Amino acid sequence: MNLFKRHKAIAALMILSLASTACSSQPAAKQQQGAESPSKKETLVIAQSTETRDLNDIDPLQKDITAPRSMVYDTLIERKADGKLVPSLAESFEVSGNTVHIQLKKNIAFQNGEPLTSESVKATLEKILNKDVKTSYKSGFAEIEQVKVLDDLTVDIISKQPNYVLPNFLAEMPVLSAKRLAAGDEYKTKLNGTGPYMLEDWKRGEQVTLKLNDKYWGAKPSFQKVVIKNVADESTRIAELLSGKADIVSDVSPASLDRIKGQKGFQTVSEPGVRVTWLSYQFKAPFDNKKVRQAIYKAVDRKGLAQNMFGEFASPATAPVIKSGAGYVEAYPLTDFNLDEAKKLMEESGVQTPVTIDLDARKVDLDIAQIVQAQLKKMGIETKINTIDAGTFFDPKRLDERKNGSILLSTSFDNPEKESYRLFGTAYSAESFYKRYGYQPSPEADALIKQYVAEPKAENRTELSKKILQLSKEDASVLWLMHPSNIYGLSDAIDWKPDGTGRIEIRSIKVK
């Protein structure tokens, strides 16, 4: 039995037990208390969980806090389901060379009554760029040199060089109040956006309650309130849905789909994931040897891995971004999997096999690590899997005492922009994330990445992407494994289809 089928069986038993307990502990009349009649439904309840969305922090400048951030704040630019960028808080935007020119809409106010002006756009970007501020938005704006306020509603964002990918990142950036940002860390707990909802209550680590912003400038959502719960355990999360305590649950595994589909009154929906599962190294021996890295690239069956783990709900990676992403080219064909060639490359490397190597993964990726372990064993690499706490996994200091190199495996790097540049910069630029592990980026790749950013035509950027990925394939510093999908469980009373942005877009959710 493969992992996908085995997990389905285990998950079904666990969820059945929890759902039965939840249903038997309350009167029948209250079993669907989260699913009010359509004409009266005023509160939407969402149960979510990933390791970083634990609601102990609701800092809007952390990308993983996708809810409630996207319900309280608006962005300058909005990305539609077809990928097209359109103005949101902006009345218009234009890219000309190294400048993005933004004209703001009139008569928009933050929830505390403060008017939206260019000063808040400037303050938000400068906060993100502040070297003392840790935020996952920073990499997308690293090339910005100056934010110039022209008047109350006009602002120029000026980069160090022509930057035609910047609007993709502005489409994900919440605009914060300049006054709130000036009040120290208050912006992390006293949310004040221009969005359709405002913060009503926050039970740290448990749930956030949002209430409708009656003065919202845009289209009004369908619900007076939204409750966002942190429910870490998937079985408990699905039991919340099946007992009527939640209307939408996120982070559903493929193994749990049959349990939801098998219940009358519930449905599942999915969208392509914005994260990627990757494998890289601490670049000590033997991973300072390019032939060894190339051998591993040939030895890992990405298609088999994706199907074994997630069935139809994961796509094996043939590039750092999904197929609909900007700059996508099929740089790593699945036909590159070839065990004989992998063994030959190991022989050419001079590294004697069998060889034993540490393979580090977080608990959430343990099953993936075990499949990779079995695949590498076939080409002479024995791996010892170390389950590393999420809080220390990326800290290079924990690897200092190891004499030899290690394999690192993770599902991370949120890329809601679906922009190749985000992962090019992360992996292959002169400021590569992997430098902390001893990786030496290619100056040629870095120069091509700069050209990619400065190229105004999308088709030409795609050609540059092809060259960057050809170099990366030869270097084999990162192996992009797959793109797991985002899967949600819904009450049948809810009418919603994900828009491919990787977030729950509240304005598109309706009551049937």
Side-chain angles (χ1 to χ4, degrees):
M1 182 182 293
N2 68 20
L3 280 170
F4 178 50
K5 292 180 179 178
R6 175 164 61 86
H7 286 176
K8 287 180 73 174
I10 294 171
L13 289 172
M14 293 177 68
I15 295 163
L16 180 61
S17 173
L18 282 160
S20 299
T21 300
C23 291
S24 63
S25 65
Q26 52 189 311
K30 294 185 179 180
Q31 286 185 14
Q32 293 296 324
Q33 64 183 24
E36 309 150 59
S37 63
S39 61
K40 296 181 179 179
K41 187 164 185 60
E42 295 186 346
T43 301
L44 180 74
V45 181
I46 301 169
Q48 65 170 25
S49 178
T50 67
E51 290 181 56
T52 47
R53 295 183 219 155
D54 61 7
L55 300 184
N56 279 299
D57 191 352
I58 50 174
D59 178 356
L61 294 184
Q62 297 306 317
K63 274 197 164 191
D64 287 320
I65 315 297
T66 53
R69 185 198 71 229
S70 63
M71 302 181 191
V72 175
Y73 296 89
D74 291 311
T75 56
L76 291 168
I77 298 167
E78 180 182 357
R79 178 179 288 99
K80 294 296 187 180
D82 61 3
K84 185 178 180 181
L85 298 178
V86 298
S88 180
L89 291 176
E91 180 69 33
S92 63
F93 67 96
E94 180 184 8
V95 185
S96 178
N98 65 341
T99 300
V100 179
H101 183 76
I102 303 282
Q103 186 71 39
L104 295 175
K105 285 184 170 76
K106 298 177 181 178
N107 302 319
I108 294 179
F110 288 94
Q111 291 147 2
N112 67 350
E114 176 191 346
L116 170 70
T117 70
S118 301
E119 289 295 343
S120 286
V121 177
K122 176 182 171 72
T124 301
L125 282 164
E126 289 182 346
K127 188 72 172 180
I128 290 170
L129 294 169
N130 187 318
K131 63 181 179 61
D132 296 323
V133 174
K134 292 183 179 180
T135 168
S136 41
Y137 286 97
K138 200 179 293 286
S139 63
F141 301 122
E143 293 299 312
I144 293 176
E145 188 171 51
Q146 181 186 7
V147 183
K148 187 176 182 180
V149 171
L150 303 183
D151 59 42
D152 280 354
L153 297 176
T154 313
V155 59
D156 282 347
I157 304 170
I158 304 167
S159 297
K160 299 169 187 174
Q161 62 171 14
N163 190 338
Y164 287 86
V165 302
L166 187 56
N168 276 312
F169 297 98
L170 293 173
E172 296 297 326
M173 182 194 80
V175 177
L176 277 60
S177 153
K179 290 183 179 178
R180 187 57 51 89
L181 285 170
D185 286 342
E186 203 173 84
Y187 74 94
K188 296 180 180 180
T189 55
K190 297 181 179 180
L191 306 187
N192 179 36
T194 61
Y197 287 92
M198 50 204 303
L199 183 64
E200 179 178 82
D201 183 54
W202 173 28
K203 294 180 181 177
R204 189 182 293 270
E206 296 180 19
Q207 70 178 44
V208 168
T209 301
L210 306 175
K211 64 180 180 180
L212 192 65
N213 176 12
D214 291 330
K215 297 180 180 179
Y216 182 53
W217 61 274
K220 296 288 193 297
S222 300
F223 307 95
Q224 290 295 314
K225 290 189 178 183
V226 178
V227 177
I228 303 157
K229 296 181 177 181
N230 170 41
V231 185
D233 179 71
E234 182 187 8
S235 297
T236 305
R237 203 160 53 247
I238 294 174
E240 290 259 317
L241 175 70
L242 299 181
S243 64
K245 294 179 180 179
D247 302 297
I248 299 176
V249 295
S250 66
D251 307 301
V252 176
S253 71
S256 300
L257 286 172
D258 286 348
R259 177 56 187 161
I260 298 174
K261 289 179 178 179
Q263 294 288 325
K264 185 178 179 180
F266 301 95
Q267 58 181 310
T268 58
V269 293
S270 67
E271 64 180 343
V274 296
R275 285 188 164 193
V276 62
T277 303
W278 53 266
L279 179 155
S280 190
Y281 310 96
Q282 181 199 36
F283 289 82
K284 295 179 183 177
F287 302 117
D288 55 350
N289 187 325
K290 184 167 66 175
K291 292 281 188 180
V292 174
R293 303 195 300 267
Q294 291 172 339
I296 289 176
Y297 169 74
K298 289 286 186 178
V300 174
D301 178 8
R302 287 162 283 144
K303 182 178 180 180
L305 171 64
Q307 290 178 342
N308 199 317
M309 276 300 303
F310 297 106
E312 64 182 290
F313 293 97
S315 300
T318 54
V321 297
I322 59 177
K323 291 183 179 180
S324 61
Y328 171 83
V329 291
E330 187 182 10
Y332 316 120
L334 299 179
T335 52
D336 281 352
F337 166 59
N338 189 311
L339 196 55
D340 289 336
E341 289 185 16
K343 291 177 179 178
K344 183 180 178 182
L345 283 163
M346 280 301 289
E347 289 178 7
E348 293 174 0
S349 75
V351 175
Q352 296 296 314
T353 57
V355 60
T356 301
I357 298 294
D358 284 292
L359 194 166
D360 293 353
R362 295 175 297 171
K363 184 177 180 180
V364 68
D365 292 315
L366 181 57
D367 288 342
I368 302 173
Q370 289 171 340
I371 296 172
V372 171
Q373 179 185 52
Q375 292 184 354
L376 294 182
K377 186 174 183 179
K378 295 177 182 178
M379 52 90 73
I381 293 182
E382 300 277 354
T383 54
K384 174 193 172 188
I385 296 177
N386 305 304
T387 305
I388 308 297
D389 179 76
T392 59
F393 181 83
F394 295 110
D395 185 355
K397 292 181 181 178
R398 68 176 183 80
L399 300 167
D400 287 348
E401 294 182 1
R402 293 187 187 175
K403 181 179 178 181
N404 296 317
S406 305
I407 297 173
L408 310 175
L409 186 148
S410 175
T411 300
S412 52
F413 296 151
D414 278 18
N415 187 13
E417 302 88 359
K418 302 179 187 177
E419 171 55 70
S420 291
Y421 170 67
R422 173 170 288 284
L423 295 175
F424 289 166
T426 298
Y428 308 125
S429 74
E431 303 304 318
S432 170
F433 168 82
Y434 298 103
K435 285 177 70 174
R436 67 182 67 188
Y437 306 118
Y439 173 57
Q440 298 298 317
S442 158
E444 185 180 356
D446 186 65
L448 287 169
I449 292 168
K450 287 183 169 67
Q451 290 179 42
Y452 180 97
V453 172
E455 174 52 54
K457 293 184 178 180
E459 60 269 27
N460 293 343
R461 289 199 295 273
T462 300
E463 285 300 311
L464 287 163
S465 175
K466 185 176 181 179
K467 294 179 181 180
I468 293 165
L469 292 174
Q470 284 173 341
L471 288 172
S472 75
K473 182 176 177 179
E474 168 68 19
D475 190 52
S477 56
V478 185
L479 172 50
W480 308 102
L481 296 171
M482 60 185 175
H483 302 282
S485 290
N486 299 323
I487 308 173
Y488 306 88
L490 278 67
S491 160
D492 266 349
I494 301 300
D495 181 12
W496 175 60
K497 290 184 179 179
D499 60 6
T501 61
R503 63 172 176 260
I504 297 174
E505 174 48 67
I506 188 65
R507 283 159 292 197
S508 67
I509 302 174
K510 308 296 180 185
V511 180
K512 288 182 179 179

